Amino acid sequence: MRAVLTVIGKDKVGIVAGVSQSLATLNINIVDMTQTIMQDYFTMMMILDMDKQTSFDYIRQELDKTGQQLGVKISIQNEEIFNAMHKLG
């Protein structure tokens, strides 16, 4: 199953490393990613590949903990739901 993850917050050292480490611990593969810094704000979007059996609620809880530790907002959605929500027309 694929998922879309976004990270937004004030830029600081260790955001990419912290998020990547959490994903690795959860056995989630990063398929693609983009990041940018807009003035002092860090933004990142990732496409992830994960086991369908993995509990999305558990993943959200763990990523919420990571976000709190890093001082950023981390959001994750199933890619199919993300695409349906952002489909034009």
Side-chain angles (χ1 to χ4, degrees), residues 56-89:
F56 232 72
D57 288 335
Y58 175 72
I59 290 168
R60 275 197 188 101
Q61 289 173 4
E62 292 302 305
L63 291 174
D64 282 346
K65 290 178 194 174
T66 300
Q68 288 174 5
Q69 292 168 351
L70 296 171
V72 297
K73 171 68 175 156
I74 301 175
S75 301
I76 187 169
Q77 278 187 302
N78 180 299
E79 184 182 43
E80 291 176 7
I81 294 170
F82 181 88
N83 287 337
M85 289 176 56
H86 296 90
K87 186 175 182 180
L88 298 176

Side-chain angles (χ1 to χ4, degrees), residues 7-47:
V7 180
I8 299 172
K10 283 287 244 183
D11 186 36
K12 69 181 209 174
V13 173
I15 297 173
V16 175
V19 173
S20 298
Q21 181 60 50
S22 290
L23 294 172
T25 300
L26 293 165
N27 199 34
I28 297 173
N29 187 43
I30 300 168
V31 176
D32 198 1
M33 74 176 271
T34 184
Q35 67 170 22
T36 191
I37 298 168
M38 298 168 32
Q39 295 183 13
D40 292 332
Y41 294 95
F42 175 88
T43 62
M44 179 168 64
M45 184 172 181
M46 293 178 163
I47 305 296

